[in-house]
Amino acid sequence: MTTQNSLHRQLIIDFYTAFQHLDWESMAGCYHQQASFSDPLFEQLAAADTALMWKMLCDSANDFVLHFDHVQADDEFGSARWTAEYSYISGRKSPVRRRVRNEIFAQFQFEDGRISRHSDHFSFWRWSSQALGPAGLALGWSALFRRRVQHRAQQALARYRKVHGPGECLIKPVLD
């Protein structure tokens, strides 16, 4: 393993260790200024919105536990497997709390010693059946339902941005 491989592997470990502690600032510090993120809920976020998303998720975490393993990295790419367990609260008028266990495969690309691309992969149907209950179980396979849930996630991020400001300042510049 080259030194760069070790640094990239450690970057992934640092990212998930920070996530275990809900330390969104340290998580954001792992990203390159031009980074992008995608997963089944948040597709193609730029670096600033990625940092803001992690801040939003960390701020709203309930009964959160994260485990990660199988961390691998080379000069350009990396990956890890992680599991998040938490209570998801859905519904505004009469909120319902549901326990979620989400198993995720993460892929990374690196630039200048930071994460430049981050993609999380998980079963949307499995997640929605846990988080959204009967509606997710019955409709989680539907592209229309998925787009509706993605739209709501984007709306939640937009509302969070209005209250907490844009995320541009959350990503630190890479120093040469």
Side-chain angles (χ1 to χ4, degrees), residues 15-16 19 27 31-32 34-54 57 82 102 104-109 115-122 154 157 171:
F15 178 84
Y16 286 114
F19 199 1
M27 293 169 69
Y31 285 102
H32 190 277
Q34 303 302 317
S36 65
F37 173 85
S38 67
D39 76 2
L41 287 173
F42 293 96
E43 294 183 315
Q44 299 305 316
L45 295 180
D49 277 346
T50 298
L52 203 60
M53 175 203 64
W54 290 126
L57 294 177
W82 61 285
N102 199 13
I104 299 115
F105 176 69
Q107 294 177 298
F108 301 93
Q109 190 169 355
I115 299 167
S116 60
R117 278 198 187 142
H118 178 178
S119 300
D120 280 347
H121 308 276
F122 59 85
Q154 289 291 342
L157 186 59
I171 302 289

Side-chain angles (χ1 to χ4, degrees), residues 3 7 13 45 64 75 100 112 128 130:
T3 304
L7 291 174
I13 291 169
L45 295 180
F64 183 79
D75 290 344
V100 172
D112 299 326
S128 67
Q130 294 174 70

Side-chain angles (χ1 to χ4, degrees), residues 30-148:
C30 294
Y31 285 102
H32 190 277
Q33 286 175 277
Q34 303 302 317
S36 65
F37 173 85
S38 67
D39 76 2
L41 287 173
F42 293 96
E43 294 183 315
Q44 299 305 316
L45 295 180
D49 277 346
T50 298
L52 203 60
M53 175 203 64
W54 290 126
K55 182 178 180 351
M56 178 179 75
L57 294 177
C58 287
D59 285 351
S60 64
N62 292 292
D63 308 319
F64 183 79
V65 177
L66 181 138
H67 303 281
F68 67 95
D69 57 16
H70 296 91
V71 177
Q72 300 177 14
D74 62 24
D75 290 344
E76 196 174 346
F77 300 101
S79 64
R81 294 194 177 278
W82 61 285
T83 302
E85 297 179 49
Y86 54 94
S87 293
Y88 183 85
I89 300 172
S90 64
R92 290 184 191 158
K93 293 180 182 174
S94 52
V96 176
R97 180 184 296 251
R98 294 186 178 91
R99 193 71 184 156
V100 172
R101 177 184 167 86
N102 199 13
E103 296 179 10
I104 299 115
F105 176 69
Q107 294 177 298
F108 301 93
Q109 190 169 355
F110 308 106
E111 185 178 331
D112 299 326
R114 296 213 187 146
I115 299 167
S116 60
R117 278 198 187 142
H118 178 178
S119 300
D120 280 347
H121 308 276
F122 59 85
S123 167
F124 179 83
W125 176 80
R126 187 175 298 130
W127 174 84
S128 67
S129 65
Q130 294 174 70
L132 305 175
L137 181 62
L139 300 171
W141 56 268
S142 161
L144 181 63
F145 182 78
R146 183 174 174 162
R147 283 192 300 275
R148 190 170 130 210

